[in-house]
Amino acid sequence: MHSVTPEQTLAEPAMQELLNMLGINVEYTRAEGDTLHYVGPDGTPETVVDYAGGYGALVLGHNHPALLDTAVAFLNERRPVLVQASRQPAVDGIAARLNDIVSREFGTDERYFAIFSNSGAESIEVALKHAEFDRVLRVRSLLEEVEARIAEVSAQAAAGTVAPPPGADGDLLTVLSGLRRDNAEAAARPPVFIALEGSFHGKLVGSVQLTHNPSYRTPFASMAPAARFVSLDDLDALDRIAEETRAVLRDVRVVDGVATVVERPIPVVAAFVMEVIQGEGGIRVVTPAQAERIRQGCAVLDCPIVVDEIQSGLGRTGAFFASSQIGLAADYLTLAKGLGGGITKTAVTLVAQRRYRRDFALVHSSTFARDGLSTAVTTKVLELLEAENGAAYLRAKEKGEKLAEIFHDLRRRFPGVVREVRGRGLMLGLEFTDQSHAAAPGIAGVSANGMLGYVISGYLLRAHRVRTFPTASAANTLRFEPSLDLADADIERLRVALEVLCVVLRDQDEQALLGGGAG
Ligand code: F0G
């Protein structure tokens, strides 16, 4: 039997080494709301305010009492967890409730069909697969139509009743068999997916190709189609992609006994995938004008828009769907993280009726999707969020404004330390100025190595009992994603912590920053 000490693990040791180095390798033993508990090395109980919020999954905090009651009751009643292919009212209820929210926030009466899965990346892969299924079926049906006509004209050509197009190279039968060959080739072209620079859509084989960070993506580039990445600052790129990727089937018409070849465009871009507020990319907000430009570009491309609300959804930004705040009604919406209420795992891909293919259910499934326990919890999550006319969303907005005010104030007072404040509601990013050329060599060194944000979060935890993280793709930006019930006392703890941190950075006090602080 292998014994394991805190310094030694067989479960991905690289992660453990990073935690040890930053002095944040803490074992939390209890969690409620935005508070985590641990016992210090000398046996003293400590509390930490959790602004990392389970990478944004803890919309209702840790161990929300009503969600625990739901789960415990479910288990005590011995209700079935796994009964696939049976009547599942909770699943239907979640789909209906999400539709009510879509109708209200987007002002649409179009229905969205819900496909359940278990994680964010999986819900993205469901969207990618569905979009490609839809594209392939559209191409296939056009190909069948064109082939039928070519067969019909071939019969007429054999009977000598139709002349080839003027200037054709060879007789009509040769021309038609050339069309068949070109069409088969065009129809078999692989799909193109488009995503935004700075995006994060998951790390599974398909989704990682839509995740911009090259270190995550490029080692696996040969495993799934590469995405085309466009910058929010150059959305005209969508029109250029439309031109570059244009593909057609060549059809034939007979007018006055003469055959003419006509082009029928086919969809090549399977989907455009985007976050409304890029999370892992460092909290970057898409504006209504950019959303409108994306909508136009995707109309030209004849491709659906997949809006990834895995991190921004469930009320965090002040509305259930952040995309409703920028007027972007997507063809696909993906949700995960908070849907599980912090204790279970549920993800949903919503597909607009205009795109939905019923037969997708015959080609895609997952053992654990729609499980009884998770869907009971998700039902309760939606009930809590939607209670009292969406009071939770208003709370997120108000608490977010308070945090943003604190951040902006720090930026004004410490202009050399705080670079930018970004985000909306309780999805906020605080970017620190690069310190690579700082006076203190220790601080300059960690900054040059891309570790500044990690070192700052280590300091905030050790010295102030505040937990927050940068992201691998924006290492100078700290992310703040607490629960919608964030207490004013916790806001105050953060304010004090950040203020002291700014003084430490301004004064280049590397002993305080790197040395362990209040330990
Ligand atoms: N999409 C977005 C917008 C995400 O933020 C994440 C995960 C995913 C998809 C993938 O979800 O982890 O459940 O498979 N974001 C985490 C982060 C990892 O750091 O923000 P998953």
Side-chain angles (χ1 to χ4, degrees):
M1 173 100 176
H2 293 283
S3 62
V4 177
T5 69
E7 289 73 39
Q8 234 183 6
T9 176
L10 299 174
E12 304 194 271
M15 176 60 82
Q16 176 111 31
E17 280 160 26
L18 179 65
L19 300 183
N20 287 343
M21 190 181 83
L22 299 172
I24 59 172
N25 197 8
V26 177
E27 181 191 349
Y28 296 104
T29 50
R30 197 180 160 85
E32 290 145 316
D34 291 293
T35 306
L36 286 163
H37 301 262
Y38 74 94
V39 180
D42 59 356
T44 347
E46 301 283 1
T47 64
V48 166
V49 183
D50 187 5
Y51 279 92
Y55 295 153
L58 297 169
V59 174
L60 293 166
H62 290 277
N63 292 318
H64 190 289
L67 299 177
L68 295 187
D69 287 349
T70 301
V72 168
F74 183 95
L75 294 171
N76 281 338
E77 288 162 21
R78 304 290 186 270
R79 286 167 58 195
V81 178
L82 293 172
V83 275
Q84 301 89 341
S86 64
R87 215 171 79 72
Q88 292 173 294
V91 170
D92 300 334
I94 292 165
R97 186 131 218 186
L98 290 173
N99 267 275
D100 290 344
I101 299 171
V102 167
S103 303
R104 183 184 74 226
E105 292 199 341
F106 293 96
T108 170
D109 42 17
E110 177 160 22
R111 288 191 300 165
Y112 281 69
F113 291 94
I115 305 169
F116 284 71
S117 59
N118 310 281
S119 72
E122 203 185 332
S123 71
I124 289 290
E125 303 233 347
V126 166
L128 303 183
K129 272 186 76 181
H130 187 286
E132 175 59 356
F133 190 55
D134 179 42
R135 189 191 74 88
V136 163
L137 294 183
R138 282 194 288 155
V139 171
R140 200 182 278 174
S141 108
L142 187 61
L143 183 65
E144 281 166 10
E145 181 194 320
V146 169
E147 278 188 338
R149 192 151 27 236
I150 291 176
E152 196 182 301
V153 177
S154 296
Q156 293 167 353
T161 55
V162 186
D169 194 11
D171 65 16
L172 184 52
L173 280 173
T174 313
V175 170
L176 294 173
S177 78
L179 293 188
R180 270 209 194 95
R181 204 180 43 239
D182 292 352
N183 287 345
E185 209 171 281
R189 273 181 67 154
V192 172
F193 290 95
I194 307 176
L196 289 174
E197 288 177 7
S199 60
F200 187 96
H201 298 293
K203 290 180 177 167
L204 293 180
V205 167
S207 48
V208 80
Q209 290 308 320
L210 297 167
T211 290
H212 189 226
N213 187 327
S215 60
Y216 298 153
R217 171 168 49 88
T218 54
F220 311 103
S222 63
M223 296 178 80
R228 300 279 303 252
F229 290 97
V230 301
S231 159
L232 276 172
D233 299 327
D234 177 27
L235 291 167
D236 291 346
L238 293 174
D239 296 342
R240 296 197 295 274
I241 294 175
E243 270 171 42
E244 277 166 42
T245 59
R246 184 171 186 274
V248 295
L249 297 186
R250 294 201 295 151
D251 199 353
V252 62
R253 296 267 185 280
V254 178
V255 182
D256 297 334
V258 180
T260 323
V261 174
V262 290
E263 292 189 339
R264 312 277 305 269
I266 51 170
V268 175
V269 177
F272 176 91
V273 186
M274 62 178 281
E275 293 152 272
V276 180
I277 299 178
Q278 295 187 329
E280 208 268 351
I283 311 293
R284 302 196 178 268
V285 184
V286 175
T287 65
Q290 288 164 336
E292 178 52 24
R293 183 68 189 84
I294 288 169
R295 210 190 48 68
Q296 287 167 4
C298 290
V300 173
L301 284 160
D302 186 22
C303 83
I305 300 177
V306 177
V307 169
D308 177 342
E309 292 261 16
I310 289 165
Q311 196 165 146
S312 57
L314 277 85
R316 177 168 293 294
T317 68
F320 188 94
F321 290 106
S323 48
S324 71
Q325 298 169 313
I326 57 167
L328 182 62
D331 301 87
Y332 295 75
L333 286 156
T334 61
L335 294 169
K337 294 200 191 259
L339 272 187
I343 54 173
T344 53
K345 298 164 189 171
T346 303
V348 170
T349 306
L350 293 173
V351 186
Q353 182 162 19
R354 61 182 178 275
R355 300 275 181 187
Y356 184 65
R357 297 276 181 174
R358 300 179 76 84
D359 286 352
F360 189 72
L362 306 177
V363 298
H364 186 88
S365 61
S366 153
T367 299
F368 292 121
R370 306 166 153 238
D371 81 81
L373 178 61
S374 303
T375 50
V377 170
T378 300
T379 303
K380 192 71 187 175
V381 167
L382 296 179
E383 188 185 312
L384 292 170
L385 287 174
E386 286 280 291
E388 299 164 46
N389 289 321
Y393 313 139
L394 190 61
R395 229 169 26 246
K397 182 172 175 289
E398 287 168 0
K399 303 275 178 183
E401 280 164 3
K402 276 193 192 167
L403 286 182
E405 219 168 274
I406 291 170
F407 296 171
H408 282 295
D409 179 55
L410 291 171
R411 197 174 73 93
R412 276 189 296 273
R413 289 165 49 213
F414 299 92
V417 172
V418 175
R419 183 161 183 268
E420 202 171 34
V421 179
R422 296 187 294 269
R424 193 158 67 229
L426 289 172
M427 186 165 178
L428 293 171
L430 181 62
E431 183 175 353
F432 290 86
T433 307
D434 177 74
Q435 300 283 330
S436 305
H437 302 290
I443 296 178
V446 294
S447 191
N449 288 331
M451 295 298 287
L452 181 66
Y454 292 97
V455 165
I456 290 176
S457 39
Y459 164 80
L460 288 174
L461 182 67
R462 293 188 317 267
H464 301 280
R465 310 276 178 258
V466 166
R467 180 176 142 96
T468 171
F469 288 124
T471 60
S473 304
N476 289 345
T477 300
L478 293 189
R479 251 196 310 187
F480 297 86
E481 301 190 359
S483 84
L484 275 44
D485 296 315
L486 181 68
D488 287 341
D490 292 339
I491 296 182
E492 182 56 15
R493 169 129 45 141
L494 178 66
R495 190 190 65 72
V496 171
L498 289 176
E499 180 144 357
V500 179
L501 165 71
C502 285
V503 171
V504 163
L505 280 168
R506 182 196 62 198
D507 297 350
Q508 294 286 295
D509 184 351
E510 64 178 26
Q511 182 54 35
L513 186 69
L514 308 170

